[in-house]
Amino acid sequence: MFDVPKRQHPVAIITNTLAVVRNFFLPIVIGIVVGTGNVQTESQWEYLLRILPILMVFFVTLGGGFIQWFRFYYWLEGDEFRVKQGLIVRKQQFIPRHRIQVIDISSGIIQRMFGLVSLNVQTAGGDTPGVTISAIRMEEALAIRAKLRKEDQQVPTEEENQNSGTEDPISNPFLKPQAEYKLSGDHLLIGAATSGGFGVFLSVLATIYSQISSSIDEDRILGWFSNLPLGDTNSVVIFTILLVLVAWLMSVSSFILRFANFRIRKLDRELVISKGLLERKQVTIPFRRIQAIRVVEGVLRQPFGYATIMVDSAGFGEKSGTTTELVPLIPSTQVSDFLKTFADEFNVVGTAVRPPKRSLFRFVLKAIRLPVIIGLALGYFSGLWYLAPIIIPFGVVLGILRYQETGGGISSTNFFTGRYRNLARTTVIIPAYRIQSAKTVQNPFQLFNTLADLRMNIASSNTGAEFIIPNLDQEDADEMLQWVQASRPAPILDKQLEITIPAFGKSG
Amino acid sequence: MRPDPHHKIHPNAIPAWRLSDGASSLTWYFLPILTFTFWYTGAIPLWPTFVLAGLCVVNTIFMMTIVPVIRWKRWRYEINGHEIYLKYGIIVIRKVLIPASRIQNVDTAQGPIFRHFGLSSVTITTAATTHEIPALDDETADAVRNTISVLAREADQDV
């Protein structure tokens, strides 16, 4: 049935095209806005000329989707699942049956419209990235899965069989998860409301607005700008509020699109995360690739006692590492339990040291830099001088918070635990053997105050990540630096500055 | 507190840096040249050219006199069986510790100026960061490279 190379269902053309569109979403939007933004001509021909680039982009992506479908063949040969694809670069992937780790059947909105599914085959070692057949009939997918099923795999239990047989074809037939966590509806909504991603959308909206507005009536816009400091403050305020509201709604919907149906499963050697509303995305994180775990308590989330757990994993083979959410939203009090279940060794509690009192001035000084600049710039350009005294205290508060919450320490199991705050409070947990290099850095003022920044570098994504614990006592920072040695000399930290981290869900 | 790393880099680094830093400080002279051309076309007055040229000359003098000496004095390194320990920096002081088991690559490199003084630099790469020990004499650099690559080979290959 499957030993002859076969094309996917033609619906794959649509999903391929949409995948391209999704990858180049921002460039396409910008192209369309820029391309049509200035159309204000009487001539229809000129109008056509203007929208020509858009039409071209449309046909090129559609053509690309078609070629991708046309050149994509899959078949089974002996013990191998084989795929060949590509127009210019021809790629053949042979996946031996015993190497297959996960076979996932899922369906996005397009597939559902046509009663189809997509089939994803992933291998263990990661020498080859997984293969996805993006449109295939359900019976066919089930048949392929049955053929690729390993004999030596543990047989699914009765109830699981019933489950996978009836309404949930997505569940994995091979590996029974040791643990599973789903994001509840409440948490999805709370997470969406507090995601704080509206800053990005705000800037995009502002850019689009400036494009559109310039094509409407330039004189009026110029007049609007010159009126800004003088009159019409009300319309400015209303407009700003409106813009923020729209941006917030966009960030809410983007969070829901990304994290609806979020589920994390713990298998023998890896964590498997699936998420997404319209398009289900699957991320596999082998345990031995986990470099660090960070718990991020956002400005909007910490007051309500919620946090996000992120994981840093290293790249391997053709797969690049990622920094991704282990859980997009979880009550801070449950963080410890969650880690105990899904990444037990990372559930550490260690004594750590705070920055000494003499560092408070440095924290505040650094935190008010940006508000002062913004305040002065606003005052200079718009004449709103009264804003500066309003925003500078925010910097002071931020500096004090940073001083109070910063800390770093070593657990008895040789894990580094560090806490710092930029805006969100972040707690990072790194095993000693994952630290690629450690650094202490002292500028002249810190030298004078015998303070030092402690920096820990880990492999993450493609570039690596650096965690900075600022303004610790020079001796403490050095003790933790020396701990990175292979012999792991236990650091002797200042008893008076001792605190306990991670302590989640408690104040301070 | 652990004492500073034991070894100093080769003293020939000072004359080598005098030349290389002096040469690279010349790139800043494009600024006064730029303002000069603006003055020539009548766009701006002449005094910014003088100010910038003065700053550039001061910079070059610094780069050729005290900066290499201070940098050499501050540079320390130590390599033992298990880790590499560096300390360096003119204004901002950095101490770096790299576990040998995390090292992925070791390279030596030598530019024309360094070759003239018989010096090489050793670059150490981990999965996340890159570090350089500048200005070792050739034999030391080769020895260091060999030591580290043996260490790195012995260590487990997992990231």
Side-chain angles (χ1 to χ4, degrees):
Chain A
M1 181 179 175
F2 298 112
D3 40 7
V4 185
K6 198 176 168 185
R7 289 205 182 98
Q8 307 168 85
H9 193 281
V11 168
I13 299 171
I14 304 176
T15 57
N16 290 343
T17 310
L18 286 179
V20 176
V21 171
R22 198 169 42 238
N23 288 342
F24 295 98
F25 185 68
L26 217 56
I28 289 174
V29 167
I30 290 170
I32 288 174
V33 169
V34 173
T36 58
N38 302 322
V39 178
Q40 44 177 218
T41 169
E42 307 295 314
S43 158
Q44 295 215 335
W45 283 111
E46 206 170 325
Y47 189 83
L48 261 182
L49 209 66
R50 299 265 190 167
I51 62 169
L52 197 65
I54 300 168
L55 289 177
M56 268 170 63
V57 167
F58 176 75
F59 283 113
V60 165
T61 48
L62 192 66
F66 176 79
I67 290 168
Q68 226 176 318
W69 168 80
F70 188 76
R71 298 289 312 175
F72 189 103
Y73 292 96
Y74 64 92
W75 69 103
L76 289 168
E77 196 158 313
D79 245 12
E80 284 181 337
F81 181 62
R82 297 190 169 185
V83 167
K84 75 176 177 190
Q85 58 180 318
L87 177 68
I88 296 160
V89 180
R90 297 196 178 169
K91 191 164 147 189
Q92 299 208 8
Q93 282 167 286
F94 297 167
I95 304 177
R97 195 169 63 167
H98 64 271
R99 297 284 311 281
I100 293 173
Q101 190 76 9
V102 179
I103 300 180
D104 234 45
I105 297 175
S106 59
S107 56
I109 194 159
I110 302 289
Q111 283 95 340
R112 256 175 259 167
M113 270 158 55
F114 294 91
L116 300 168
V117 293
S118 80
L119 181 82
N120 177 259
V121 177
Q122 286 195 350
T123 55
D127 304 310
T128 53
V131 164
T132 305
I133 297 172
S134 47
I136 183 173
R137 280 183 300 121
M138 173 68 97
E139 308 89 81
E140 220 181 321
L142 287 175
I144 288 179
R145 191 172 75 174
K147 286 216 171 196
L148 293 175
R149 192 188 291 256
K150 283 181 263 185
E151 282 97 23
D152 56 331
Q153 282 297 333
Q154 62 188 87
V155 182
T157 60
E158 279 294 295
E159 48 182 359
E160 252 195 331
N161 250 339
Q162 280 172 358
N163 268 340
S164 63
T166 51
E167 85 270 36
D168 187 13
I170 289 157
S171 78
N172 189 328
F174 297 157
L175 301 160
K176 189 183 174 186
Q178 294 162 6
E180 189 178 59
Y181 182 94
K182 285 180 181 169
L183 188 68
S184 72
D186 298 358
H187 286 170
L188 180 69
L189 291 181
I190 294 170
T194 56
S195 80
F198 60 83
V200 182
F201 288 104
L202 199 60
S203 55
V204 172
L205 277 183
T207 319
I208 293 174
Y209 178 79
S210 65
Q211 273 293 333
I212 296 169
S213 59
S214 65
S215 72
I216 297 171
D217 190 337
E218 288 184 354
D219 283 343
R220 246 179 69 197
I221 298 305
L222 280 176
W224 183 73
F225 269 115
S226 63
N227 279 337
L228 190 62
L230 308 168
D232 227 8
T233 332
N234 279 336
S235 81
V236 174
V237 169
I238 290 168
F239 176 74
T240 311
I241 291 173
L242 208 69
L243 212 63
V244 169
L245 203 67
V246 172
W248 181 75
L249 283 175
M250 282 169 82
S251 88
V252 165
S253 41
S254 119
F255 186 92
I256 291 176
L257 284 178
R258 276 192 299 154
F259 293 116
N261 301 321
F262 183 95
R263 178 173 64 173
I264 175 168
R265 284 171 295 170
K266 182 189 184 187
L267 303 183
D268 257 356
R269 281 179 298 182
E270 60 208 354
L271 293 170
V272 180
I273 296 166
S274 57
K275 59 188 174 185
L277 185 63
L278 299 183
E279 186 232 359
R280 297 207 69 173
K281 216 169 158 186
Q282 185 162 310
V283 187
T284 307
I285 303 161
F287 285 119
R288 51 195 287 274
R289 293 287 160 190
I290 296 181
Q291 306 291 312
I293 284 182
R294 16 181 155 164
V295 180
V296 183
E297 293 163 280
V299 188
L300 295 177
R301 288 178 182 164
Q302 196 186 0
F304 302 104
Y306 290 102
T308 303
I309 304 180
M310 311 279 291
V311 61
D312 287 285
S313 72
F316 57 99
E318 285 180 37
K319 280 192 182 178
S320 63
T322 48
T323 304
T324 187
E325 291 84 2
L326 272 192
V327 179
L329 188 87
I330 189 168
S332 303
T333 45
Q334 290 174 23
V335 168
S336 177
D337 286 334
F338 178 88
L339 290 179
K340 203 179 286 173
T341 314
F342 286 92
D344 189 28
E345 46 171 14
F346 284 87
N347 183 31
V348 294
V349 177
T351 51
V353 281
R354 300 178 42 179
K357 207 163 201 167
R358 60 183 183 277
S359 67
L360 175 59
F361 180 68
R362 284 196 53 76
F363 276 102
V364 172
L365 200 66
K366 195 173 176 192
I368 62 170
R369 240 186 284 172
L370 191 62
V372 165
I373 291 171
I374 292 176
L376 290 182
L378 274 178
Y380 183 78
F381 287 112
S382 63
L384 304 171
W385 288 106
Y386 60 86
L387 278 180
I390 298 176
I391 56 175
I392 289 172
F394 280 107
V396 176
V397 171
L398 185 64
I400 294 172
L401 279 178
R402 283 179 183 166
Y403 161 72
Q404 285 175 342
E405 292 174 338
T406 298
I410 312 296
S411 81
S412 56
T413 51
N414 275 325
F415 274 57
F416 174 79
T417 53
R419 179 171 284 168
Y420 58 92
R421 179 189 281 280
N422 291 328
L423 277 176
R425 185 172 92 163
T426 306
T427 308
V428 59
I429 305 156
I430 317 171
Y433 54 91
R434 296 299 191 202
I435 294 172
Q436 303 289 336
S437 65
K439 234 183 247 167
T440 61
V441 180
Q442 293 179 283
N443 67 28
F445 304 107
Q446 288 172 312
L447 273 170
F448 178 74
N449 277 321
T450 61
L451 299 169
D453 292 353
L454 178 66
R455 303 185 178 197
M456 294 289 181
N457 290 89
I458 60 160
S460 165
S461 309
N462 297 322
T463 50
E466 183 171 60
F467 300 105
I468 305 175
I469 313 296
N471 296 328
L472 294 173
D473 183 86
Q474 176 181 299
E475 296 277 341
D476 290 338
D478 194 61
E479 285 291 324
M480 285 189 268
L481 177 75
Q482 300 305 333
W483 163 80
V484 175
Q485 288 180 44
S487 56
R488 312 238 181 281
I492 302 153
L493 302 176
D494 193 335
K495 284 273 181 286
Q496 292 187 324
L497 297 169
E498 218 162 70
I499 52 166
T500 304
I501 51 172
F504 299 109
K506 294 162 201 149
S507 58
Chain B
M1 202 177 226
R2 185 176 171 183
D4 283 349
H6 189 256
H7 300 292
K8 288 193 159 185
I9 57 175
H10 199 280
N12 272 1
I14 299 173
W17 276 332
R18 282 193 214 284
L19 277 178
S20 61
D21 290 6
S24 58
S25 76
L26 294 181
T27 51
W28 288 104
Y29 285 84
F30 87 92
L31 281 175
I33 291 170
L34 205 67
T35 51
F36 182 79
T37 42
F38 282 144
W39 168 77
Y40 196 75
T41 56
I44 55 167
L46 187 57
W47 62 267
T49 307
F50 284 120
V51 171
L52 286 171
L55 286 174
C56 282
V57 170
V58 170
N59 180 44
T60 305
I61 291 172
F62 266 105
M63 282 302 184
M64 295 190 71
T65 52
I66 56 171
V67 170
V69 178
I70 298 176
R71 185 182 295 157
W72 178 79
K73 273 190 180 158
R74 296 276 164 84
W75 240 108
R76 298 287 192 128
Y77 71 96
E78 193 172 314
I79 296 162
N80 66 37
H82 305 290
E83 66 268 335
I84 290 164
Y85 185 27
L86 312 174
K87 184 179 178 186
Y88 59 93
I90 298 171
I91 295 168
V92 177
I93 307 291
R94 290 159 200 270
K95 279 206 254 181
V96 184
L97 217 141
I98 312 154
S101 56
R102 299 272 73 90
I103 295 166
Q104 297 203 322
N105 268 324
V106 197
D107 305 316
T108 50
Q110 195 177 45
I113 295 175
F114 271 40
R115 190 176 309 135
H116 176 75
F117 289 97
L119 300 173
S120 298
S121 67
V122 178
T123 306
I124 301 155
T125 313
T126 70
T129 51
T130 304
H131 311 269
E132 191 189 43
I133 308 177
L136 300 172
D137 65 80
D138 288 350
E139 299 88 77
T140 318
D142 282 344
V144 163
R145 188 189 55 200
N146 292 336
T147 319
I148 300 174
S149 65
V150 168
L151 286 175
R153 222 174 299 142
E154 282 168 357
D156 71 305
Q157 293 304 306
D158 199 4
V159 175

